[in-house]
Amino acid sequence: MHAALPLTRDLVLIGGGHTHALVLRMWGMRPLPGVRVTLINPGPTAPYSGMLPGYVAGHYGLDELEIDLVKLARFAGARIVAGAAVDIDREARRVKLAGHPDVRYDICSIDIGIHTRMPDLPGFAEHGIAAKPLDRFAEAWRDWCAVVASGDAAPETCVIGAGVAGVELALAMSHRLRTLGAKPRLGLVDAGSALDGMPRRTRNLLLDRLAHENVALHERVEVAEVARDAVRFGDGTTLPSGFTLGVAGARPHGWIEDTGLDLHEGYITVDASLRSVSDPAIFACGDCAHLGFAPRPKAGVYAVRAAPILFANLRAELAGTRPQRFRPQKDYLKLISMGGKEAVADKNGITVSGGWLWRWKDHIDRSFMRKFHDLPAMAPPPLPPVHAKGVEAVLGDKPLCGGCGAKVAGARLRAALAGLPPPERSDVLSLPGDDAAVLAFGDARQVLTTDHIRAFTEDPVALARITAVHALGDIWAMGARPQAALASITLPRMRDEMQEATLREILDTASEVFRSEGAELVGGHTSVGAELTVGFTLTGLASERPITLAGAQPGDVLLLTKPVGSGTVLAGEMQGKAQGRDVLATLASMAQPQGAAAAILHGAHAMTDVTGFGLAGHLMGICEASGVGAEITLDAVPIYRDAEELAAAGVRSTLFPANREVAERMVLPDGPRADLMFDPQTAGGLLAAVPEADATELLAALVEAGFAAARIGRIVTGPPFIAVL
């Protein structure tokens, strides 16, 4: 078997548009070794525009038109950065993002679409919603329909812009509101003529349908202001509207103007290879690109047709081979839905309509989305024909988890440590069961701990942030104040420039986390190895007696400051089974520092951070050190979204079987929620045994401070034992 090739080129895709989504799918099936791929997108999903009118009309659920970019990135072996690009430093080849370190590139491709925000229209920013970006509109429409269905709002809506998109969405909105039992009052407004430029027969068919749906058409009128409950025209008249949609005046994103690229009316001018005519390191596609060699209208069909050419040309540029030429067709079939399950088709001046056309369109759209919902299973590299006995058993049938899921099992760790002699130095205090050491300096106490994480994400920034929070856990759990940190980083083999950029991302992010908690990153050690790992050794200062595992008393209440189930969510993400939005939400929670929670819990009798051995394993550690038992109320334990569903589907972290050995000293029900008690956590919450008299006040303070904290059980008299109720 060959070792992984070193990384030598960075490919950065800005935006999760249709072209980039298809490129990622093709990349997953045919990657180019040596290339690190990064996808930058504001959110975890990208809605498919072709199904948006059907979603608005109620024919599809939101999940049916969403492309899960987190799943797609995992399939492609790419890292996903949830953020918005705000500029490109072309000289340094850096993409600048809001709230994230710059991302370097060798080759960059842009597919960010367009927007229909109306910054010059008074009141639109506060009271209107733009049809593009699609994701915000889709969620806003869902929420509005819920309000109308509850009877808390009148079904008064307005669409600004009576082009094809505006008419299609107005018909869809009218249909949906009727299915909710409402009598919609919908206005369609345009500064010019409705459907200007459409063939006469197609235009007449759509205008007749608008009249049939009682959509009030207002042509050649000026919109002066959008208010909370109305649209005001230039002549002083008003149109009642509690939901005002902007479809007119599609615009390029403003930050593109600052890049210095050659633009046409704000769109990036590209040549026949889809490369910027002014910068050979930048490609562009979809609605944000202007096909300078063969101008075409903005249409999704061109984005889809461009994907194989962009894929081939990105590979060609990265590998040093010849590019291909994009030859867009002169005309294309336009399938326009008409609210209900009917559509009109137009091409080359020929117009037809009917329900069969909607079914055809539905088939085309669903076939397109199946490319992303049903990603092909890629077989792992085969084992050599002759290999040592037992290799298959160690490899297992699932990928090795990262984070705490990759830890050595607790029983094996304890057996290995059993032979270590107790400390002989009087200033090294031994605390059985605790992960951190306590060093004595006269009356002062210093806490010393270390943690090391195998990468569970392709994003070094997310990995560094979460690993820093994870490493701080033992300091916080012992009631100490973070002091100093040393980094220990193993980078995979990569080109010098990539190595420097990756190290900068990790160190800058970790330093930010530590400094915000009162500690300093003061140095460390780096090496090159097979894969990315990040670790930190930390010290903390304890002015009082450190909080340990020992000290829990019968009657104490158990408080937990974060949900559990992150190991299952991360395992599900690695297997392509977790939902992208749930993965990003879990990662965001994992990255939440616990310093403020530790300060609130400073009077706890016993405390630990819930990490690799799971909630049950770490609670058993408290029970063993304190000589007590515990009860957990299973329904009270906070669980990460999607974790229970994944557990029910059989998704398990690789450390789960070993963690479950503690169940021999437990009483617990069957089921996926109970299984999550053994799920390994990375950067998990603090588990504290606190006096019952203080529990309510402490829990309220934790919630007020922004923690998803819960009261999950209590300490009881008896031998080390846990009952899950």
Side-chain angles (χ1 to χ4, degrees):
M1 298 176 67
H2 296 288
L5 292 178
L7 299 171
T8 63
R9 291 293 182 271
D10 268 319
L11 169 62
V12 174
L13 308 178
I14 303 177
H18 302 350
T19 311
H20 278 177
L22 287 166
V23 165
L24 283 169
R25 185 180 187 276
M26 289 183 276
W27 197 279
M29 300 174 70
R30 191 181 161 213
L32 182 62
V35 176
R36 179 171 62 180
V37 182
T38 300
L39 171 66
I40 298 171
N41 196 70
T45 62
Y48 170 47
S49 59
M51 295 176 75
L52 181 67
Y55 164 75
V56 171
H59 305 318
Y60 305 119
L62 186 57
D63 59 328
E64 292 180 274
L65 74 141
E66 285 187 329
I67 299 172
D68 192 325
L69 297 176
V70 178
K71 283 185 180 180
L72 192 57
R74 170 62 71 176
F75 176 76
R79 70 164 165 169
I80 182 167
V81 175
V86 297
D87 198 4
I88 299 176
D89 183 340
R90 291 165 50 207
E91 183 176 351
R93 294 200 177 183
R94 295 277 193 277
V95 179
K96 296 185 176 296
L97 294 90
H100 189 283
D102 296 352
V103 176
R104 80 168 301 276
Y105 68 88
D106 292 293
I107 297 297
C108 176
S109 181
I110 306 172
D111 184 13
I112 57 174
I114 54 180
H115 72 89
T116 57
R117 304 184 190 97
M118 301 178 179
D120 300 328
L121 178 58
F124 186 84
E126 296 81 10
H127 307 298
I129 184 74
K132 290 189 176 182
L134 302 181
D135 49 358
R136 183 165 175 257
F137 164 46
E139 293 181 1
W141 176 248
R142 177 196 61 197
D143 296 343
W144 171 251
C145 287
V147 172
V148 170
S150 69
D152 292 336
E156 297 170 336
T157 59
C158 176
V159 178
I160 302 174
V164 173
V167 169
E168 192 173 24
L169 288 172
L171 290 172
M173 292 164 71
S174 176
H175 178 83
R176 177 57 175 157
L177 293 172
R178 290 183 190 281
T179 63
L180 294 174
K183 294 182 178 180
R185 295 186 290 279
L186 198 150
L188 180 59
V189 181
D190 201 281
S193 298
L195 299 168
D196 192 28
M198 288 290 294
R200 181 176 58 84
R201 176 168 167 75
T202 303
R203 183 174 185 270
N204 289 339
L205 271 171
L206 292 171
L207 291 178
D208 288 345
R209 180 53 61 96
L210 288 171
H212 181 267
E213 291 291 323
N214 293 321
V215 175
L217 182 60
H218 302 265
E219 298 179 283
R220 291 173 289 278
V221 297
E222 175 194 358
V223 177
E225 181 185 7
V226 175
R228 181 182 60 82
D229 56 359
V231 173
R232 296 191 175 91
F233 299 146
D235 61 5
T237 59
T238 62
L239 180 68
S241 176
F243 187 93
T244 301
L245 178 67
V247 186
R251 298 171 175 83
H253 290 274
W255 67 267
I256 293 294
E257 296 181 8
D258 300 328
T259 62
L261 293 168
D262 185 281
L263 305 178
H264 174 77
E265 298 180 350
Y267 302 100
I268 302 168
T269 306
V270 298
D271 61 21
S273 66
L274 301 176
R275 187 198 307 260
S276 164
V277 297
S278 56
D279 190 331
I282 293 181
F283 291 73
C285 54
D287 287 349
C288 72
H290 169 65
L291 305 181
F293 64 99
R296 294 290 188 275
K298 305 299 181 187
V301 64
Y302 297 119
V304 172
R305 296 287 179 86
I309 303 301
L310 180 64
F311 173 70
N313 288 350
L314 291 174
R315 287 176 60 93
E317 180 61 28
L318 291 161
T321 58
R322 291 175 60 84
Q324 298 182 20
R325 181 181 179 86
F326 181 42
R327 294 181 172 84
Q329 68 269 40
K330 293 183 178 180
D331 196 11
Y332 62 96
L333 176 66
K334 305 170 189 70
L335 284 169
I336 306 166
S337 58
M338 296 193 293
K341 294 185 177 182
E342 294 182 77
V344 57
D346 174 86
K347 186 177 182 182
N348 296 325
I350 300 174
T351 302
V352 292
S353 63
W356 67 274
L357 279 170
W358 189 90
R359 292 190 292 273
W360 185 26
K361 181 180 186 304
D362 175 65
H363 171 74
I364 293 171
D365 291 338
R366 289 185 184 274
S367 296
F368 179 78
M369 289 303 294
R370 274 196 294 271
K371 295 177 183 291
F372 307 105
H373 290 168
D374 302 324
L375 293 169
M378 306 303 290
L383 288 172
V386 180
H387 53 269
K389 293 186 292 184
V391 168
E392 292 91 345
V394 174
L395 285 176
D397 58 355
K398 296 175 182 176
L400 176 64
C401 288
C404 278
K407 290 182 69 170
V408 173
R412 263 54 72 195
L413 181 61
R414 285 190 294 272
L417 295 175
L420 285 180
E424 294 182 352
R425 293 181 59 105
S426 60
D427 55 357
V428 177
L429 308 183
S430 178
L431 299 170
D434 279 292
D435 290 333
V438 178
L439 309 180
F441 296 92
D443 293 334
R445 295 292 183 267
Q446 186 180 52
V447 177
L448 175 66
T449 186
T450 188
D451 267 298
H452 206 81
I453 296 295
R454 177 178 181 267
F456 51 83
T457 172
E458 298 292 335
D459 184 11
V461 172
L463 178 64
R465 190 178 305 280
I466 292 171
T467 304
V469 170
H470 177 81
L472 283 162
D474 289 324
I475 303 292
W476 290 324
M478 300 190 79
R481 302 183 310 279
Q483 181 188 26
L486 293 169
S488 178
I489 300 167
T490 301
L491 293 176
R493 290 187 299 165
M494 59 179 67
R495 190 164 127 237
D496 289 348
E497 296 89 338
M498 298 174 69
Q499 192 176 80
E500 179 184 338
T502 303
L503 273 175
R504 184 185 299 116
E505 286 182 322
I506 293 171
L507 296 175
D508 288 353
T509 301
S511 179
E512 175 193 330
V513 173
F514 292 135
R515 183 162 287 186
S516 69
E517 295 297 319
E520 297 292 343
L521 180 61
V522 295
H525 177 76
T526 60
S527 62
V528 175
E531 59 183 357
L532 177 63
T533 62
V534 176
F536 300 102
T537 298
L538 290 111
T539 60
L541 299 175
S543 57
E544 303 174 358
R545 180 188 65 82
I547 303 173
T548 67
L549 297 177
Q553 302 172 16
D556 281 350
V557 169
L558 292 170
L559 299 182
L560 179 65
T561 64
K562 279 188 183 182
V564 299
S566 63
T568 297
V569 173
L570 295 181
E573 190 269 334
M574 291 185 70
Q575 298 174 34
K577 297 178 180 179
Q579 299 300 312
R581 67 177 69 253
D582 296 335
V583 172
L584 293 190
T586 299
L587 292 175
S589 176
M590 292 165 66
Q592 181 187 26
Q594 299 281 286
I600 292 170
L601 296 168
H602 71 277
H605 289 157
M607 189 154 61
T608 185
D609 57 332
V610 179
T611 53
F613 303 141
L615 177 59
H618 286 282
L619 177 55
M620 186 61 76
I622 289 179
C623 292
E624 289 175 336
S626 301
V628 295
E631 293 178 351
I632 295 178
T633 302
L634 186 58
D635 289 342
V637 177
I639 302 294
Y640 279 116
R641 193 171 58 195
D642 203 24
E644 190 168 355
E645 290 80 2
L646 289 167
V651 174
R652 300 284 186 273
S653 171
T654 47
L655 194 57
F656 172 86
N659 280 355
R660 209 182 188 286
E661 292 175 8
V662 75
E664 296 175 357
R665 291 182 288 166
M666 296 177 63
V667 172
L668 74 160
D670 293 327
R673 192 177 186 90
D675 287 340
L676 292 174
M677 300 303 98
F678 311 103
D679 187 56
Q681 306 303 290
T682 305
L686 298 173
L687 176 64
V690 303
E692 184 174 17
D694 301 333
T696 300
E697 182 179 350
L698 291 173
L699 180 58
L702 289 168
V703 173
E704 177 67 22
F707 296 98
R711 176 175 178 157
I712 66 166
R714 64 193 183 102
I715 298 295
V716 298
T717 302
F721 191 83
I722 300 174
V724 180
L725 308 176

